[in-house]
Each structure stands twice: as C-alpha cells, then as structure tokens.
C-alpha cells in the first residue's frame, strides 16, 4: 500500500524539526499533528507525548523529520536529522524535505526491519495529503450510513480510514495547548501558531478571553457534541419565536387594532350562522334537483336550525366580553408566535363548535343507518354476523323475522339519500375547518422544529458540519511525490435539516388516506388530533 | 500526462473524454457533456411567452407577462444550477478512494468521495430502457453489517450514460477510442467484474 502522510498546511512554512503525530498501520497512513523545533530534549518530548496520550487516549509518536532549508543553510542539518532517527525509533521513519521558496517537496519513508528481506532498508512510495488542521479539528463528520446512537467520542480510533484522521486531530487537543512562542520545555508548531497578532492589545484580549472560553467550554462539555448542537437549535428557535411574537404584539398595539378586530368578530360569526341557515333551507327544499324524503328532511332541518339559533344566542351573550378576551390573548403573544397561533387555532375551534356538533349528529345517524342496513342486508340473504367467531354465518330465520327485516331494510334504503346528503354536507364543512386548523398547526410545527442554528452554521461555517472530504491534486512533477489537498465537503442543506430536526410534539395523522376514506364511508367519527397510544373510544 | 479523445454521438452532440495520468497511483477521467443548445432554449422561451401572451389577451392583465418573464428567468437559473451537468470527473487514488465530481452549468460542483475500504467491486451493469439496452459503470459498496452483502450501488457518470450508450453501440465499434473498446470487450465477454486496482495496474501498452 502507498504510504499516506497527512500534513497540516500550517506547518508547511515552519522551521526544521521533528514530526509528531499518529501512525495508523491498518491504512498505512501517518497523521502529522505538529512540528517540534530545535532545541529540544528528547526526554521532554517523550514526556509531552505521554501526557497527551493520557489526556486524549490517542497514541502519538515521533514519526520522522521535517527539513525546511533556508537560504545558505548548512548541509550538516541533513546529517543531523538523519542521526535523530536512531534516538526516536519508529517504523517507518518519514523524512520530509522542502526546497526554500519553491513548491518542490521530497519524501522518503524508510524501514529498518523488513521480514522477508533482512539487511538493507527499503523505501515506501509516499503520497502527501495536506489538510487544514483548524477546520478538521472543529468539524464533525456525519457518516452517510445511519448508525444508531453513535457519538463522535465513542468511535474507535481505527474506525474508517478518514474518520481516523478526524478522530486523531480531535483527541489531540492537549498537544495544541503549548506553542512555539511559549516558554515551555518543548516548542511546537501547529494551527495555533499561525495568525499571531502583532498588536499587544489583541494578544491581551486573547489571554483575557481564555478563562471565559474555558467557562463556556465547561458548560457545553456537560453534554456531548451532538446534543450541544440540538440545545443550541432549541434555544435559537425559542428566541426567534419570542421575537416574532413581540413583533406581532407591537403590530397589534401600533394602530390599536384590537378594538376593530373585536368589533368585527361578532358580525362575522353572525354572517357564518346566516350562511348555514341558508344552507339548511336549501337542503330542506330540493337540493341540486334531488328529491328528499319530506318528513325526515323537515325533522332534521328543523332540529339543526334550532341548534343554530341557540348558538347565535350564546354568541350574542358573549359579545361584551370579546374585546377584553382578545386583549389578553394578544398579550400572550409575547410568549411567542407559536402560542398566539395555537390560541388562534383554539378560537377557531370554539367559534365553529356548532359545525362540529352538526358533523357528529350527521355522522352518528349515518353510521347507525349503515350498520342497520348491513345487518338487514345479511338477513335478506339468510346470513348473520357471528360475534363470537367474528365472521358471517348462515342462519335460518322465521318467516315473521324475515318479513319485518325486509320491511325495515326497504325503509332504511329509501331514507338513505336524505341522511347521506346531510352527512356529506356537514362532513365537508368539518373537513374545511380541520384543514384550516391543520395549516396553523403545520406552521407552528415548522417554527418549532426548524434547526435554525445548524442552518446558520452550515451557511457561515460550512466546515463544521462535514459530510465527507474531497481531494484536489496539486501541481505535480515527475519523480516527486504526489501532493493532494484534502478539503472538507460540507453537508447538504437537506441533510442538515433531516439530521438536526427537532422532534415535533405536534400531531401526525395516525391514519393513512385509505383508512380515512374507509372511516368516512362508514360514518365513523374522525378525531384528527388524537395521538397514537391515547385511550380509544 | 493528458490524453483527450472526442467523438460524437448519434444525435450529433459532442462528447469529450479526457484522461489524465498524474502518477502510478492516481488517475483522472473527465467526461464533458454537450452544452445547452440555443435552439432548445429559444424554443422553450418562445413557447412560454406565447402561452403567456395568449392568457394576456384573455384576461387583459399585464401581470401575466411580467410573471412569465420571471418564470422563464427562474426556470432557466434553476435548470442551470440543479439539472444541467457540464462535466463529470472521476478521480481514482490508489489506497485512498474514488472521487466523483459533477460540475453544473452554473459553476456549482458536487463531490462524492468513496473510501477504498468501502468499495467492494466495480462492475458494468446492463439495463433495459424501453426498447434498448444501455450499459453503465457502477461501484458496489460494502455493507458494514453483513460482510458478504452490498449496501449500495453507485452509478458513475450518471448523466452521460444516455449519450455513452449511443456511442458504445456495436455499429460504431470502428470509430471508438481504445478506452471505450476496452469497456466493450468487458461487456461482451460477460466477465463484468473488474476491480479498480486491476485497472490501475494495467500497463499503458494495453491502450
């Protein structure tokens, strides 16, 4: 296998020194994390690596040497670096070298112990892969296969080829604490070394922000990386909700709209009731040219008209209090727009209560009729429903049973169109109201479950949410090792929404379209907001 | 080292296949699809605007004309950004993986990288599409749960299979490039399993 050396771009301009990182033998790849500069004491370097191993449970080692010859440099540097190979023994020993001011690199990977060919060391073919250390440290890989309940910390270090690189960099945070500008025993170059401010004030601000960052990190480290994102999403959603609610409140108060709204509400309810009255009159006549059974028509029509009359009386009774109620409801908008929308949905439900009642009456009547019809139809054919066995069995009836049964069947059949028409009209009205309420609930759901923080992160810092990596081949010369640039492939927006979507506590329809149609046909009542697992009727 | 072969399909659109050899362990194949033709663009625009003008004469509302212009613009932008693929590139890096890049006409690039450890095999599948048979190259991915199973089949060069199938029909065998002849040989021999490593180790004299 070709040996892959993952080299951080920040170290490409660093001075000569030792390469420190992790060797993954399964993928034959060396992940370089930092460069240790001269002068150093080998014992202290080994101590530092042991400390990092203890802190992050990642086995680091000295992988090789890095040679960046400045102009007029001595040749003895090369020999000195070769001698270091004897102090820090590592298989294979990497030797990376860069010509000054040019893009020409040379790499060698030598092995001392080769099982089938003892004696002379042989060299591996090396491929250089550059990576941006800061971005790799901060990013979080989202594997395409949905492995349930896997967190970044649980993954074994050797899981997946490139996931190992991300994992190594993430676990070696202890290594990045000290810098080449610090006065520690070991001087390192890594991603923290670039971008050192020239201004003293900026440096002081950075030092001061250290404790603040530590505090924030402590708070966030109470939860793992994945749910920290979820909590941020929830917080941003709630903030947006409250902001929209306050905007609505200010709009309502701005031009004093509550008064006109309250005054318009009762006439609207009156108008709806009037329209319903017209509808009932139409049904009691000859609707759409159909001929109804006169007696049943009159009974049902009058019953519904009286119910409507009662409802209108109650609305008029309530009218003095409407404005006060609306004022308090408007106040609740400061808790969030979703609260205001939910209250609006409830107000609609209350105002259309009579339609709900009509639907229930019509559905019950229709259901009874259908039950009776099906049972008498079985009697007509000489069968009956066996409740014990839950199936249709044949049965011998007496003559008078058959006679009465057939009579009743005929009566029910001829009364069916009237009942069915009333049921149809009121079911349509009820479905309309349910649709309006459903739209409001959808909007509330959308506001609650959209992961705005993750979407913002994807927009502004796309490297934080990584779907994978992508490679670009850099300038290549014959005889030189192949150089690739590894960049982070950000997660597409659809997957961001899908992964970080907050669980919605709203109601999903418990039945499919087929079962809905079946229920409508047989006149069973539809409860659109009933959750799965609730007590059934 | 670069190599470019261009050929045209039956409909007259130009297809170009470019092969780049970076090193013994890295190769790139680049397939360019025919560009958006002015003829089809003009035809669609004229159709939409004629329909809008017809509606305008019925309704006497000038909003319809502005709406038609917006729809045409947005539709064209959406088509260029989401649908029209200009070029597809396949980069094979030994012991790292396979990278497939699609560049759209608006400049957007969408990249997928498959690690070598996940690749089970590379096969040429044949599919029956209406009255003809088309061939497409695809990569089989391993299933992490079941070692002998296949979790996904990823077709390579998604858009170009239609054009490729026109090129790779037996009638055109005399004017095919060696690369396509190699693929045809694989197809007809029915030994359709060829792994990436085998392909990379093939000496250049084969071509």
């Amino acid at each position: 296998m070709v040996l892959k050396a993952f080299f951080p771009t920040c170290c490409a301009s660093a001075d000569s020194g030792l390469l420190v990182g992790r060797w993954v033998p399964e993928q034959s790849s060396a992940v370089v994390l930092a460069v240790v500069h001269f002068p150093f004491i080998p014992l202290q370097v080994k101590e530092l690596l042991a400390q990092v191993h203890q802190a992050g449970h990642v086995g680091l080692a000295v992988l090789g040497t890095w040679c960046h010859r400045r102009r007029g440099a001595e040749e003895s540097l090369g020999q000195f670096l070769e001698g270091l190979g004897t102090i820090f023994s590592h298989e294979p020993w990497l030797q990376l070298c860069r010509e000054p001011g040019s893009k020409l690199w040379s790499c060698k990977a030598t092995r001392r112990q080769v099982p089938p060919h003892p004696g002379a060391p042989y060299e591996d073919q090396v491929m250089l892969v550059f990576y941006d250390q800061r971005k790799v440290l901060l990013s979080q890989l989202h594997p395409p296969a949905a492995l349930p309940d896997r967190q970044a910390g649980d993954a074994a270090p050797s899981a997946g080829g490139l996931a190992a690189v991300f994992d190594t960099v993430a676990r070696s945070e202890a290594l990045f604490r000290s810098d080449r500008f610090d006065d520690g025993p070991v001087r390192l170059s890594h991603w923290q070394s670039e971008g050192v401010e020239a201004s003293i004030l900026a440096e002081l601000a950075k030092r001061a922000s250290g404790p603040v960052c530590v505090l924030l990190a402590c708070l966030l480290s109470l939860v793992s990386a994945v749910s920290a994102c979820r909590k941020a999403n929830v917080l941003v959603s709630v903030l947006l909700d409250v902001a929209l609610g306050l905007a609505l409140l200010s709009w309502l108060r701005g031009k004093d709209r509550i008064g006109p709204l309250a005054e318009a509400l009762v006439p609207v309810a009156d108008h709806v009731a009037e329209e319903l009255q017209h509808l009932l009159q139409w049904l009691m006549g000859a609707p759409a040219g159909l001929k109804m059974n006169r007696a049943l028509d009159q009974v049902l029509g009058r019953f519904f008209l009286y119910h409507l009359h009662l409802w209108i009386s109650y609305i008029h009774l309530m009218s003095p209090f409407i404005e006060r109620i609306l004022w308090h409801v408007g106040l609740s908008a400061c808790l969030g727009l979703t609260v205001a929308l939910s209250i609006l949905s409830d107000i609609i439900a209350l105002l259309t209560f009579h339609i709900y009642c009509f639907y229930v009456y019509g559905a019950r009547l229709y259901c009874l009729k259908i039950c009776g019809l099906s049972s008498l139809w079985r009697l007509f054919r000489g069968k009956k429903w066996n409740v014990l066995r839950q199936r249709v069995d044949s049965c011998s009836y007496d003559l008078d049973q058959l006679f009465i049964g057939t009579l009743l069947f005929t009566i029910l059949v001829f009364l069916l169109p009237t009942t069915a028409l009333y049921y149809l009209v009121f079911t349509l009205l009820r479905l309309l109201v349910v649709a309006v309420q459903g739209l409001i609930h959808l909007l509330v759901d959308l506001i609650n479950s959209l992961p705005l923080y993750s979407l913002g992160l994807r927009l502004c810092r796309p490297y934080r949410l990584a779907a994978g990596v992508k490679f670009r081949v850099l300038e290549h010369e014959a005889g030189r090792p192949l150089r690739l640039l590894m960049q982070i492939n950000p997660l597409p927006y659809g997957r961001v929404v899908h992964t970080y979507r907050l669980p919605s506590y709203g109601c999903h329809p418990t039945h499919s379209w087929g079962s809905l149609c079946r229920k409508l046909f047989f006149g069973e009542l539809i409860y659109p907001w009933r959750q799965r697992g609730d007590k059934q009727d | 080292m670069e190599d470019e072969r261009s050929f045209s399909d039956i409909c007259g659109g130009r297809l170009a296949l470019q092969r780049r050899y970076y090193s013994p362990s890295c190769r790139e194949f680049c397939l360019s699809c025919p560009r958006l033709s002015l003829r089809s663009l003009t035809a669609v625009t004229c159709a939409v605007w004629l329909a809008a003008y017809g509606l305008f004469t019925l309704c006497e509302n000038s909003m319809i004309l502005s709406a038609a212009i917006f729809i045409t613009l947005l539709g064209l932008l959406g088509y260029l950004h989401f649908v029209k693929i200009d070029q597809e590139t396949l980069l094979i890096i030994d012991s790292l993986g396979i990278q497939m890049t699609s560049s759209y006409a608006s400049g957007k690039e969408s990249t997928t990288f498959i690690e070598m450890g996940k690749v089970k095999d590379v096969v040429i599948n044949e599919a029956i599409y209406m009255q003809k048979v088309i061939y497409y190259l695809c990569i089989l991915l391993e299933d992490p749960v079941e070692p002998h199973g296949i979790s996904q089949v990823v077709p390579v060069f998604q858009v170009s299979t239609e054009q490729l199938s026109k090129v790779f029909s037996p009638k055109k065998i005399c004017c095919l490039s060696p690369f396509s002849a190699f693929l045809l040989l694989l197809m007809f021999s029915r030994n359709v399993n060829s792994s990436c490593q085998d392909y990379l180790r093939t000496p250049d004299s084969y071509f």
Side-chain angles (χ1 to χ4, degrees), chain B residues 99-118:
Chain B
Q99 176 171 291
M100 295 176 293
T101 313
S102 309
S103 354
Y104 291 83
S106 64
K108 174 175 104 154
E109 278 191 8
S110 101
T111 316
T112 325
F113 181 74
I114 303 172
E115 289 180 53
M116 204 50 100
K118 292 209 174 81

Side-chain angles (χ1 to χ4, degrees), chain A residues 109-131:
Chain A
T110 51
R111 283 182 193 270
R112 290 213 186 80
Q113 299 139 14
V114 178
H117 309 288
Y122 82 98
E123 290 181 14
D124 280 335
Q125 210 187 4
V126 181
M127 185 168 24
L128 271 175
V129 182
F130 295 104
Y131 69 97

Side-chain angles (χ1 to χ4, degrees), chain A residues 16 67-81:
Chain A
S16 311
C67 175
H68 191 191
R69 284 192 210 120
R70 302 288 177 195
R71 296 196 188 282
E74 328 75 46
E75 278 307 315
S76 59
L77 185 64
Q79 289 165 358
F80 174 60
L81 289 173

Side-chain angles (χ1 to χ4, degrees), chain B residues 131-199:
Chain B
Q131 83 283 8
K132 57 192 174 194
V133 181
I134 58 170
Y135 303 95
Y136 57 99
L137 195 68
C138 51
I139 302 173
L140 302 177
L141 298 185
E142 271 187 9
D143 196 357
V145 176
E146 197 194 335
H148 294 294
I150 297 165
S151 77
Q152 222 183 342
V153 176
V154 181
V156 178
F157 297 136
Q158 287 223 30
V159 174
S160 315
T161 49
E162 180 65 26
Q163 290 102 341
L164 275 179
S165 71
K166 288 174 184 149
V167 174
F168 293 155
S169 67
K171 288 182 230 152
K172 291 242 170 195
I173 199 164
C174 49
C175 51
L176 285 173
S177 66
F179 169 63
S180 34
F182 166 64
L183 275 180
L184 264 182
L185 278 170
L186 283 177
M187 279 188 266
F188 286 126
S189 71
R190 291 287 186 264
N191 279 342
V192 291
N193 289 345
S194 72
S195 66
C196 262
Q197 283 89 349
D198 282 341
Y199 175 64

Side-chain angles (χ1 to χ4, degrees), chain A residues 15 19 167 179 310 464 510 531:
Chain A
D15 287 333
L19 292 170
D167 197 49
D179 204 352
L310 277 176
R464 291 281 298 268
T510 54
Q531 308 268 6

Side-chain angles (χ1 to χ4, degrees), chain A residues 55-71:
Chain A
H57 303 286
V58 56
L60 299 183
V62 175
L63 296 172
T65 55
W66 161 244
C67 175
H68 191 191
R69 284 192 210 120
R70 302 288 177 195
R71 296 196 188 282

Side-chain angles (χ1 to χ4, degrees), chain A residues 1-2 4 6 125 127 129 145 160-163 469-471 473 476 482 484 489, chain B residues 21-26 28 91 93-96 99 109 111-113 115 118 144:
Chain A
M1 251 208 261
V2 176
K4 299 169 284 267
F6 290 89
Q125 210 187 4
M127 185 168 24
V129 182
L162 290 160
V469 293
K470 53 188 178 193
F471 291 92
V473 182
H476 178 68
L482 180 69
L484 299 166
N489 203 10
Chain B
Y21 170 83
Y22 290 113
S23 89
S25 52
C26 181
E28 192 178 45
L91 178 69
I93 309 169
D94 186 19
S95 79
L96 251 187
Q99 176 171 291
E109 278 191 8
T111 316
T112 325
F113 181 74
E115 289 180 53
K118 292 209 174 81

